[in-house]
mmCIF file of all heavy atoms in Angstrom:
data_model
loop_
_atom_site.group_PDB
_atom_site.id
_atom_site.type_symbol
_atom_site.label_atom_id
_atom_site.label_comp_id
_atom_site.label_asym_id
_atom_site.label_seq_id
_atom_site.Cartn_x
_atom_site.Cartn_y
_atom_site.Cartn_z
ATOM 1 N N ALA A 214 68.833 54.390 98.147
ATOM 2 C CA ALA A 214 69.067 53.451 97.051
ATOM 3 C C ALA A 214 68.098 52.280 97.123
ATOM 4 O O ALA A 214 67.577 51.825 96.094
ATOM 5 C CB ALA A 214 70.506 52.954 97.097
ATOM 6 N N LYS A 215 67.834 51.809 98.331
ATOM 7 C CA LYS A 215 66.895 50.697 98.506
ATOM 8 C C LYS A 215 65.474 51.138 98.182
ATOM 9 O O LYS A 215 64.746 50.446 97.464
ATOM 10 C CB LYS A 215 66.974 50.173 99.938
ATOM 11 C CG LYS A 215 65.971 49.058 100.249
ATOM 12 C CD LYS A 215 66.155 48.562 101.671
ATOM 13 C CE LYS A 215 65.001 47.647 102.084
ATOM 14 N NZ LYS A 215 64.877 46.477 101.193
ATOM 15 N N SER A 216 65.067 52.306 98.701
ATOM 16 C CA SER A 216 63.686 52.762 98.494
ATOM 17 C C SER A 216 63.397 53.070 97.029
ATOM 18 O O SER A 216 62.275 52.893 96.557
ATOM 19 C CB SER A 216 63.404 53.999 99.355
ATOM 20 O OG SER A 216 64.180 55.101 98.915
ATOM 21 N N GLN A 217 64.425 53.525 96.294
ATOM 22 C CA GLN A 217 64.242 53.861 94.882
ATOM 23 C C GLN A 217 64.746 52.764 93.946
ATOM 24 O O GLN A 217 64.726 52.927 92.725
ATOM 25 C CB GLN A 217 64.953 55.183 94.571
ATOM 26 C CG GLN A 217 64.372 56.352 95.351
ATOM 27 C CD GLN A 217 65.011 57.683 94.982
ATOM 28 O OE1 GLN A 217 65.526 57.842 93.880
ATOM 29 N NE2 GLN A 217 64.976 58.629 95.900
ATOM 30 N N ASN A 218 65.194 51.648 94.538
ATOM 31 C CA ASN A 218 65.679 50.511 93.756
ATOM 32 C C ASN A 218 66.753 50.939 92.765
ATOM 33 O O ASN A 218 66.728 50.576 91.586
ATOM 34 C CB ASN A 218 64.508 49.829 93.025
ATOM 35 C CG ASN A 218 64.884 48.457 92.501
ATOM 36 O OD1 ASN A 218 65.739 47.777 93.074
ATOM 37 N ND2 ASN A 218 64.260 48.044 91.416
ATOM 38 N N ASP A 219 67.699 51.745 93.255
ATOM 39 C CA ASP A 219 68.723 52.319 92.377
ATOM 40 C C ASP A 219 70.090 52.251 93.056
ATOM 41 O O ASP A 219 70.462 53.167 93.786
ATOM 42 C CB ASP A 219 68.358 53.763 92.044
ATOM 43 C CG ASP A 219 69.369 54.427 91.113
ATOM 44 O OD1 ASP A 219 70.260 53.722 90.597
ATOM 45 O OD2 ASP A 219 69.259 55.652 90.901
ATOM 46 N N PRO A 220 70.856 51.180 92.815
ATOM 47 C CA PRO A 220 72.180 51.056 93.429
ATOM 48 C C PRO A 220 73.116 52.197 93.062
ATOM 49 O O PRO A 220 74.005 52.548 93.831
ATOM 50 C CB PRO A 220 72.706 49.723 92.875
ATOM 51 C CG PRO A 220 71.492 48.968 92.459
ATOM 52 C CD PRO A 220 70.518 50.011 91.994
ATOM 53 N N GLY A 221 72.907 52.779 91.881
ATOM 54 C CA GLY A 221 73.760 53.874 91.444
ATOM 55 C C GLY A 221 73.650 55.086 92.340
ATOM 56 O O GLY A 221 74.592 55.889 92.427
ATOM 57 N N LEU A 222 72.534 55.217 93.034
ATOM 58 C CA LEU A 222 72.340 56.377 93.912
ATOM 59 C C LEU A 222 73.343 56.350 95.059
ATOM 60 O O LEU A 222 73.946 57.371 95.396
ATOM 61 C CB LEU A 222 70.909 56.377 94.448
ATOM 62 C CG LEU A 222 70.401 57.658 95.114
ATOM 63 C CD1 LEU A 222 68.893 57.756 94.981
ATOM 64 C CD2 LEU A 222 70.802 57.715 96.573
ATOM 65 N N ALA A 223 73.533 55.171 95.658
ATOM 66 C CA ALA A 223 74.493 55.058 96.756
ATOM 67 C C ALA A 223 75.908 55.345 96.262
ATOM 68 O O ALA A 223 76.689 56.037 96.919
ATOM 69 C CB ALA A 223 74.425 53.669 97.384
ATOM 70 N N LYS A 224 76.230 54.823 95.092
ATOM 71 C CA LYS A 224 77.577 55.009 94.560
ATOM 72 C C LYS A 224 77.832 56.477 94.209
ATOM 73 O O LYS A 224 78.951 56.976 94.379
ATOM 74 C CB LYS A 224 77.779 54.109 93.344
ATOM 75 C CG LYS A 224 77.795 52.632 93.720
ATOM 76 C CD LYS A 224 77.899 51.727 92.520
ATOM 77 C CE LYS A 224 77.870 50.266 92.964
ATOM 78 N NZ LYS A 224 77.912 49.320 91.820
ATOM 79 N N SER A 225 76.803 57.172 93.756
ATOM 80 C CA SER A 225 76.984 58.595 93.442
ATOM 81 C C SER A 225 77.231 59.397 94.714
ATOM 82 O O SER A 225 77.985 60.376 94.710
ATOM 83 C CB SER A 225 75.754 59.142 92.704
ATOM 84 O OG SER A 225 74.629 59.222 93.558
ATOM 85 N N GLN A 226 76.611 58.978 95.824
ATOM 86 C CA GLN A 226 76.837 59.669 97.087
ATOM 87 C C GLN A 226 78.261 59.449 97.592
ATOM 88 O O GLN A 226 78.852 60.333 98.205
ATOM 89 C CB GLN A 226 75.829 59.195 98.132
ATOM 90 C CG GLN A 226 74.398 59.605 97.843
ATOM 91 C CD GLN A 226 74.271 61.090 97.590
ATOM 92 O OE1 GLN A 226 74.599 61.912 98.441
ATOM 93 N NE2 GLN A 226 73.804 61.456 96.399
ATOM 94 N N VAL A 227 78.811 58.291 97.304
ATOM 95 C CA VAL A 227 80.208 58.019 97.662
ATOM 96 C C VAL A 227 81.128 58.982 96.906
ATOM 97 O O VAL A 227 82.092 59.511 97.460
ATOM 98 C CB VAL A 227 80.579 56.557 97.336
ATOM 99 C CG1 VAL A 227 82.081 56.328 97.527
ATOM 100 C CG2 VAL A 227 79.789 55.596 98.223
ATOM 101 N N GLU A 228 80.800 59.227 95.647
ATOM 102 C CA GLU A 228 81.594 60.173 94.852
ATOM 103 C C GLU A 228 81.504 61.579 95.441
ATOM 104 O O GLU A 228 82.507 62.303 95.515
ATOM 105 C CB GLU A 228 81.102 60.171 93.408
ATOM 106 C CG GLU A 228 81.378 58.863 92.678
ATOM 107 C CD GLU A 228 80.756 58.832 91.291
ATOM 108 O OE1 GLU A 228 80.136 59.851 90.888
ATOM 109 O OE2 GLU A 228 80.889 57.791 90.610
ATOM 110 N N HIS A 229 80.315 61.976 95.870
ATOM 111 C CA HIS A 229 80.144 63.293 96.493
ATOM 112 C C HIS A 229 80.941 63.383 97.798
ATOM 113 O O HIS A 229 81.538 64.424 98.106
ATOM 114 C CB HIS A 229 78.670 63.568 96.768
ATOM 115 C CG HIS A 229 77.881 63.926 95.546
ATOM 116 N ND1 HIS A 229 78.200 64.985 94.727
ATOM 117 C CD2 HIS A 229 76.782 63.354 94.992
ATOM 118 C CE1 HIS A 229 77.344 65.054 93.732
ATOM 119 N NE2 HIS A 229 76.467 64.076 93.874
ATOM 120 N N MET A 230 80.948 62.290 98.567
ATOM 121 C CA MET A 230 81.706 62.279 99.810
ATOM 122 C C MET A 230 83.205 62.428 99.525
ATOM 123 O O MET A 230 83.927 63.105 100.256
ATOM 124 C CB MET A 230 81.419 60.993 100.591
ATOM 125 C CG MET A 230 80.059 61.056 101.275
ATOM 126 S SD MET A 230 79.290 59.493 101.762
ATOM 127 C CE MET A 230 80.579 58.538 102.423
ATOM 128 N N GLY A 231 83.649 61.776 98.441
ATOM 129 C CA GLY A 231 85.044 61.899 98.050
ATOM 130 C C GLY A 231 85.401 63.328 97.681
ATOM 131 O O GLY A 231 86.469 63.850 98.064
ATOM 132 N N ALA A 232 84.504 63.993 96.950
ATOM 133 C CA ALA A 232 84.742 65.377 96.553
ATOM 134 C C ALA A 232 84.771 66.291 97.784
ATOM 135 O O ALA A 232 85.574 67.225 97.866
ATOM 136 C CB ALA A 232 83.656 65.831 95.575
ATOM 137 N N TYR A 233 83.886 65.994 98.741
ATOM 138 C CA TYR A 233 83.845 66.794 99.970
ATOM 139 C C TYR A 233 85.161 66.674 100.747
ATOM 140 O O TYR A 233 85.720 67.663 101.222
ATOM 141 C CB TYR A 233 82.679 66.358 100.828
ATOM 142 C CG TYR A 233 82.603 67.057 102.160
ATOM 143 C CD1 TYR A 233 82.167 68.381 102.232
ATOM 144 C CD2 TYR A 233 82.973 66.421 103.340
ATOM 145 C CE1 TYR A 233 82.104 69.045 103.461
ATOM 146 C CE2 TYR A 233 82.913 67.063 104.558
ATOM 147 C CZ TYR A 233 82.488 68.377 104.611
ATOM 148 O OH TYR A 233 82.439 69.025 105.811
ATOM 149 N N LEU A 234 85.669 65.441 100.850
ATOM 150 C CA LEU A 234 86.921 65.228 101.593
ATOM 151 C C LEU A 234 88.104 65.887 100.896
ATOM 152 O O LEU A 234 89.043 66.325 101.561
ATOM 153 C CB LEU A 234 87.170 63.730 101.769
ATOM 154 C CG LEU A 234 86.232 62.996 102.742
ATOM 155 C CD1 LEU A 234 86.615 61.534 102.844
ATOM 156 C CD2 LEU A 234 86.243 63.636 104.119
ATOM 157 N N LYS A 235 88.058 65.951 99.574
ATOM 158 C CA LYS A 235 89.136 66.636 98.865
ATOM 159 C C LYS A 235 89.201 68.091 99.273
ATOM 160 O O LYS A 235 90.279 68.696 99.307
ATOM 161 C CB LYS A 235 88.913 66.520 97.357
ATOM 162 C CG LYS A 235 89.284 65.159 96.787
ATOM 163 C CD LYS A 235 89.116 65.125 95.275
ATOM 164 C CE LYS A 235 89.470 63.752 94.717
ATOM 165 N NZ LYS A 235 89.268 63.690 93.246
ATOM 166 N N GLY A 236 88.045 68.667 99.586
ATOM 167 C CA GLY A 236 88.019 70.063 100.031
ATOM 168 C C GLY A 236 88.572 70.251 101.426
ATOM 169 O O GLY A 236 88.808 71.397 101.847
ATOM 170 N N LEU A 237 88.808 69.150 102.130
ATOM 171 C CA LEU A 237 89.368 69.221 103.484
ATOM 172 C C LEU A 237 90.851 68.863 103.505
ATOM 173 O O LEU A 237 91.433 68.711 104.589
ATOM 174 C CB LEU A 237 88.601 68.272 104.420
ATOM 175 C CG LEU A 237 87.104 68.537 104.601
ATOM 176 C CD1 LEU A 237 86.485 67.478 105.507
ATOM 177 C CD2 LEU A 237 86.861 69.924 105.176
ATOM 178 N N LYS A 238 91.446 68.742 102.336
ATOM 179 C CA LYS A 238 92.857 68.354 102.281
ATOM 180 C C LYS A 238 93.741 69.438 102.849
ATOM 181 O O LYS A 238 93.439 70.626 102.765
ATOM 182 C CB LYS A 238 93.271 68.068 100.824
ATOM 183 C CG LYS A 238 92.689 66.763 100.276
ATOM 184 C CD LYS A 238 93.324 66.373 98.964
ATOM 185 C CE LYS A 238 94.709 65.843 99.188
ATOM 186 N NZ LYS A 238 95.297 65.228 97.985
#
């Protein structure tokens, strides 16, 4: 996110992490 000057990139990865954890429920 820092290298590409795109805060949305970090937030999108958080969403992916959330989806991944749902698969571990």
